[in-house]
Amino acid sequence: TATPLAAYSYRVYPNPTNESFTIESDNQGNVSVQIWNLMGSKVSSGSVTGRANFTTNNWTSGFYTITIGEGADMVSQKLIVIH
């Protein structure tokens, strides 16, 4: 069976951010990432294989939720964007 995503570490930095941020993990598998604002709208999506960078230039300042994985096998992180 596959190792659950919660068994891996995920770092989001810098947090808070103003232009871009990085998601870094010790999981070397390709994992989906979705980023949601507080209104529940998806603002970005992509994938992480060890490390991925995302830009926040077009986002409004505020709090965001990053979901890593899908369905029951998912972890989440909070992100603050300040412009």
Side-chain angles (χ1 to χ4, degrees):
T1 61
T3 303
L5 292 179
Y8 297 101
S9 70
Y10 293 90
R11 268 185 62 208
V12 176
Y13 63 90
N15 192 4
T17 187
N18 63 355
E19 293 180 4
S20 66
F21 66 96
T22 299
I23 299 174
E24 188 174 88
S25 174
D26 55 357
N27 180 358
Q28 295 304 308
N30 190 335
V31 181
S32 68
V33 173
Q34 298 182 23
I35 302 152
W36 308 84
N37 65 20
L38 286 181
M39 303 301 289
S41 298
K42 187 188 318 180
V43 296
S44 186
S45 62
S47 63
V48 175
T49 305
R51 179 184 299 186
N53 297 307
F54 294 84
T55 59
T56 62
N57 294 336
N58 298 329
W59 303 4
T60 59
S61 295
F63 292 89
Y64 293 82
T65 300
I66 302 167
T67 57
I68 302 167
E70 296 175 355
D73 192 18
M74 183 173 58
V75 294
S76 64
Q77 298 272 337
K78 299 294 183 199
L79 176 70
I80 301 170
V81 175
I82 301 171
H83 292 296

